Amino acid sequence: MRLLLRSSLWYTSAFLGSHTAFKSELVTQATTSYLIKTMHYQTEERGRPNSSDYRIYFKTSDGKYISPFHDIPLIADGDQENNVPSKKLKKNDNEVLYNMVVEVPRWSNAKMEIATKEPLNPIKQDVKKGKLRYVANVFPHKGYIWNYGALPQTWEDPNHTDKDTMCCGDNDPIDVCEIGTLVCSPGQVIQVKVLGVLAMIDEGETDWKLIAINADDPEAPSLNSIEDVRKSRSGHLEATVDWFKKYKVPDGKPENQFAFNGQFKDKDFAVEVIKSTHEHWRALLQKQTNGGEIDCKNVSVCESPFKFTGEDACNVVKSAPAGGEALPVSPEVDKWHFLSK
């Protein structure tokens, strides 16, 4: 068993009733005028990397196991009520930060994802037809071209038809493409600034792709909108559409489609999408909608009928396979795929 202490932190400051997100360097500057709460997220690996039994579990700094899907707050700098962000999400505010759970580091190929149907929702590698899934390298791309992950406490409801896409949700937390300069690690929790959103239609399901940047990235202060990305990073948004359009083609699937003719929607639109998926998650955790096989067990969401004890959570992790040496990865994962136009 291996413990990995991530540098992911979120800070909530209360001063005269207001709340502000603080970066780590500000903690040492705090005075008695401020009340600062610091949360360190750790990850614990179980099973063998590159195998179907590999899992990354999450825990707090005091050793309590949590679900990254349900127990990590959506808003990094928002008011909390019963461990759930306020229904009123801020809008038109560049300082709003969201927690992002990184599932896949940039340039890597393993399709790691939050296991929504398992207790405590660890990160695992997706399996299809008995084989571990790796995204293909569709020329000129290598693996994922951003740090890829999800916003906690969101859910794209498969029972809900989106008014813009006219398709139902894909039954997962909302996806995030983090476009910063730093390569993250699986299980890292970072604070991101949302810049816009792309509406992908994946086999008839709505699959929103948020575009965001790590708040600690050197370029974060200069990127505040999707237009900022377009102006300062020539080709990046076009490459993102191309990647999502073609990444399944080497596996024999058709090209993915997009709503809005593949155009990115702005930050205000993205915030409304986040609000909607957060409300669907709230309904899910309160058993007000049919979640199907989604595992809603959590340790912190008050009044949720799915809340269970820390001891129960500990038993979930103890029952997982012990850690071991990583298995080899097939050289096929590095193969280039050249698609005809």
Side-chain angles (χ1 to χ4, degrees), residues 70-71 82 84 281-288 295-308:
H70 306 307
D71 293 312
N82 294 332
V84 177
W281 171 83
R282 290 175 69 101
L284 176 69
L285 265 285
Q286 297 301 327
K287 213 171 185 178
Q288 296 171 354
D295 196 296
C296 298
K297 294 184 183 68
N298 66 88
V299 298
S300 67
V301 183
C302 293
E303 299 181 4
S304 170
F306 301 103
K307 188 176 180 181
F308 72 162

Side-chain angles (χ1 to χ4, degrees), residues 215-323:
D216 287 333
D217 193 273
E219 296 187 16
S222 62
L223 294 177
N224 296 300
S225 68
I226 203 70
E227 284 307 311
D228 287 344
V229 179
R230 194 181 308 280
K231 292 174 183 177
S232 65
R233 297 189 171 194
S234 178
H236 200 160
L237 296 180
E238 292 79 4
T240 293
V241 174
D242 185 67
W243 193 97
F244 280 119
K245 182 179 181 180
K246 299 176 180 176
Y247 81 100
K248 288 186 176 181
V249 174
D251 297 326
K253 296 287 185 70
E255 292 183 347
N256 283 318
Q257 304 299 311
F258 304 89
F260 310 113
N261 295 316
Q263 296 300 307
F264 288 83
K265 304 301 285 184
D266 64 16
K267 180 174 183 174
D268 288 348
F269 190 98
V271 168
E272 291 302 315
V273 172
I274 295 170
K275 287 169 65 176
S276 175
T277 57
H278 176 60
E279 287 304 308
H280 292 149
W281 171 83
R282 290 175 69 101
L284 176 69
L285 265 285
Q286 297 301 327
K287 213 171 185 178
Q288 296 171 354
T289 188
N290 179 16
E293 298 179 7
I294 296 290
D295 196 296
C296 298
K297 294 184 183 68
N298 66 88
V299 298
S300 67
V301 183
C302 293
E303 299 181 4
S304 170
F306 301 103
K307 188 176 180 181
F308 72 162
T309 67
E311 182 179 358
D312 291 333
C314 188
N315 288 334
V316 168
V317 179
K318 285 182 178 179
S319 66

